[in-house]
Each structure stands twice: as C-alpha cells, then as structure tokens.
Amino acid sequence: MGRWAIAVHGGAGVDPNLPLERQEAATALLTRCLNLGISALRSSLPAIDVVELVVRELETDPLFNSGRGSALTEKGTVEMEASIMDGRGRRCGAVSGLTTVKNPISLARLVMDKSPHSYLAFSGAEDFARQHGVETVDNEYFITEDNKGMLKLAKEADSILFDYRIPSTAFETCGAASTESPIQMNGMPISVYAPE
Amino acid sequence: TVGCVVADTEGRCAAATSTGGLMNKKVGRIGDSPLIGAGTYAGEVCGVSCTGEGEAIIRGTLARDVAAVMEYKGLKLQEAVDFVIKERLDEGKAGLIAVSSEGEVAYGFNCNGMFRGCATEDGFMEVGIWE
C-alpha cells in the first residue's frame, strides 16, 4: 500500500498589499479544503473523486477565482472553464465557456465519464449539462461586488488585471499594467498578460 | 484559478483545475486550465495543476513537462517542479502544485505569491501564501 498525498491552490500572483484579514480568510479556506480531502482519503475515496470534491468546495466559496467569485470578461460577464484528469489510464475531461453551470469541475468529470469526448465548450457544454441534469444558476450568481470593482480598475488601467483581491482602500493598478515592459509575448506587450 | 492534486493509497494520481480566467479577458478566451497537458495533467507518476499567466503555461505545456522530466530525465518530483518553473516559462509568471504516486507533494512559483496548501500521510501539513 502506498501513502496518500494532497495539495491545493487558490491562484498565483498575489497582491503584496493584501490585507491581513484577506490572507487569513484564504489560509482558512485552504486548510478547510485540505482537511476535506484528507478525510476523504482516509475513507479510501479514489484520487479522482477527492480532487473533484475539493475543487467543488473551492468553486462554491467566492474567495478565489473560480465558480462563484470568478474573474469577469471585458463585458462584465463570467465564462468559466475546468479540467480533470485521472492518472490511471490517463482519462480526462474539460469544459470552457460555461456561464450557468454551478460547479464546472463536475461537468468536466461528466465529459470524462459520460461522453466519447475529452473537451466540450460554450453552448455544446451547456447543452450537455442540461442533458445530464447538472445544477445550473443564473450568471449573476457568479458575479461579486469585489470583482465588479476589479474589472473597473482593469478597464481604467486598460489591462488584464492580476487576479487578486484588491484591498478596498488602495486603488493602484497592478505593477505589470502600469510599467510598460519592453518584453513582448505573442506580439503583445507582456503587461497585457498579467498573471491572474 | 483553483486546483487540487491527489495521490491515493493505491498509488493513483489525479488532478483538477477550475477558473474564471483573467479579469477583463476577451469573451471566448480559453486559458490553460482546461487544456490537458498545459494547466492540468495526471499520469502514472504524478498529478499537476497550474495557475498564473495562461498564455505562458500553454506555450510551455507546463503540467505535462513535470511528468515528462520525471519519466525521461529521472528527476524526483520537487526537482521536476523546480526545473519546469525555471526553464519552461520564458518571462511568464506562474505557479503549480504536484503530487507523485509515491506520496510526495511539491509546489513551485516564480511570482510574488501563491495560495497553496499541502499534506502527506506521515503528518506533514503546510498552508501558505508567500515565499
């Protein structure tokens, strides 16, 4: 018998001025999700079920950029994407462009388990969700006041903004957006591709 | 972006990643998270989930590369993570978490912080944000 191991993340590229209470909220959520996964592993749940269970928890909490609390498009809407992969047999499922599916990771799991494909996107993915009775909600459900404020900042900075929770006091834009770096990527200034 | 990677007591690895993408992104933009081999990968030796600058992660096929350098260069998990973060991102900023089928955990990032937590059966547990 091997030993179990688990890791979770909530995104990279963190605002250096993130207020302490936000940091504490983030570490509390990560700890809760780790413990959820650990008790599932101790109950001998297979790895593929544990990763889905933990990511559902992270999608439901608005703190990080997924599910409820997702970053917003330039139009102020939410388009979510997710993928899941089982190392045993390298089976996988992925979805993109979701606007109403409450837990995208579970739809990716259904694509892996219940479809002949490994990736469904936009209206095809939404149709597949309805065929399988997956829980759907209005797009508004995913949009938070925090993220409306961040989108406003990103538009003022004319950039794609870091995905971190901007403290309500400071309204400076992210470093990469304000300093034009000479580095190009895909023909665009690197500052356009700010980390999330 | 959020992610979870797990190795269970049968030595099976799995990975899952979910995201809203980048703030102010164009409608229809696809990032790294749903792309198997870029933002998410799980095979016989490890499971990986990435986050950060999607376009850089895609170009570097970051998640698959961790498994590839383990398989072909014989690197251990943390060595593989460090190699990929250091060599595969060009100027891109990103982070990743990984587990091995032997029950190890590892993570790496080249930006100013990553929300992460990890635990192993022998009692190790760590939750962090900064370096």
Side-chain angles (χ1 to χ4, degrees):
Chain A
M1 289 286 265
R3 293 174 307 150
W4 56 256
I6 182 171
V8 294
H9 73 75
V14 183
D15 170 21
N17 307 314
L18 196 66
L20 204 53
E21 69 270 14
R22 295 291 178 109
Q23 295 183 42
E24 286 159 359
T27 48
L29 175 57
L30 291 167
T31 305
R32 187 174 93 224
C33 290
L34 267 186
N35 288 325
L36 179 69
I38 290 169
S39 50
L41 282 163
R42 286 187 175 138
S43 314
S44 302
L45 232 62
I48 190 68
D49 292 344
V50 179
V51 294
E52 181 188 0
L53 176 75
V54 170
V55 169
R56 281 178 64 92
E57 186 74 14
L58 288 161
E59 287 173 336
T60 305
D61 192 296
L63 194 74
F64 292 134
N65 168 21
S66 71
R68 196 153 82 85
S70 281
L72 305 181
T73 68
E74 59 187 355
K75 291 191 164 46
T77 59
V78 161
E79 282 185 359
M80 301 169 286
E81 48 197 14
S83 66
I84 191 167
M85 188 161 188
D86 185 352
R88 192 59 47 105
R90 285 205 290 263
R91 301 180 310 125
C92 55
V95 288
S96 278
L98 300 184
T99 56
T100 67
V101 174
K102 190 162 179 280
N103 287 105
I105 196 64
S106 291
L107 189 64
R109 177 74 189 266
L110 280 170
V111 171
M112 179 175 84
D113 290 341
K114 306 280 187 198
S115 94
H117 305 309
S118 51
Y119 196 162
L120 289 176
F122 298 97
S123 60
E126 297 277 349
D127 293 346
F128 183 73
R130 278 168 187 72
Q131 286 157 29
H132 286 84
V134 166
E135 187 178 1
T136 56
V137 290
D138 188 76
N139 198 255
E140 279 300 315
Y141 162 84
F142 302 105
I143 298 172
T144 62
E145 288 309 310
D146 255 12
N147 284 340
K148 285 179 183 170
M150 283 174 65
L151 178 61
K152 184 166 172 291
L153 278 169
K155 287 190 175 302
E156 284 162 7
D158 187 25
S159 90
I160 296 171
L161 204 63
F162 285 82
D163 167 46
Y164 50 62
R165 304 299 173 234
I166 291 207
S168 46
T169 49
F171 278 89
E172 78 285 353
T173 55
C174 59
S178 47
T179 50
E180 264 315 301
S181 154
I183 301 169
Q184 298 272 318
M185 185 162 91
N186 301 335
M188 301 281 283
I190 195 83
S191 60
V192 170
Y193 297 108
E196 51 177 351
Chain B
T1 303
V2 301
C4 180
V5 290
V6 166
D8 62 26
T9 51
E10 309 270 330
R12 294 171 296 201
C13 296
T17 312
S18 180
T19 189
L22 294 177
M23 190 61 75
N24 200 24
K25 68 182 180 182
K26 296 204 172 310
V27 170
R29 179 249 184 196
I30 304 267
D32 64 285
S33 301
L35 301 183
I36 296 297
T40 304
Y41 183 78
E44 289 304 323
V45 295
C46 66
V48 184
S49 173
C50 304
T51 174
E53 233 167 75
E55 282 70 9
I57 294 168
I58 292 168
R59 292 168 53 240
T61 63
L62 224 60
R64 168 60 196 156
D65 260 36
V66 173
V69 294
M70 289 180 77
E71 289 167 26
Y72 300 120
K73 288 169 75 91
L75 299 193
K76 297 295 285 177
L77 186 69
Q78 187 64 59
E79 294 171 323
V81 169
D82 294 343
F83 175 86
V84 164
I85 290 287
K86 185 165 173 284
E87 303 296 337
R88 284 289 177 274
L89 277 167
D90 306 330
E91 294 83 24
K93 297 293 181 194
L96 65 86
I97 57 173
V99 291
S100 76
S101 54
E102 293 165 14
E104 304 160 302
V105 286
Y107 62 83
F109 54 95
N110 69 354
C111 36
N112 63 343
M114 176 166 81
F115 296 109
R116 82 275 176 180
C118 38
T120 53
E121 189 163 357
D122 56 8
F124 167 75
M125 185 163 178
E126 177 197 296
V127 175
I129 297 175
W130 312 110
E131 276 288 351

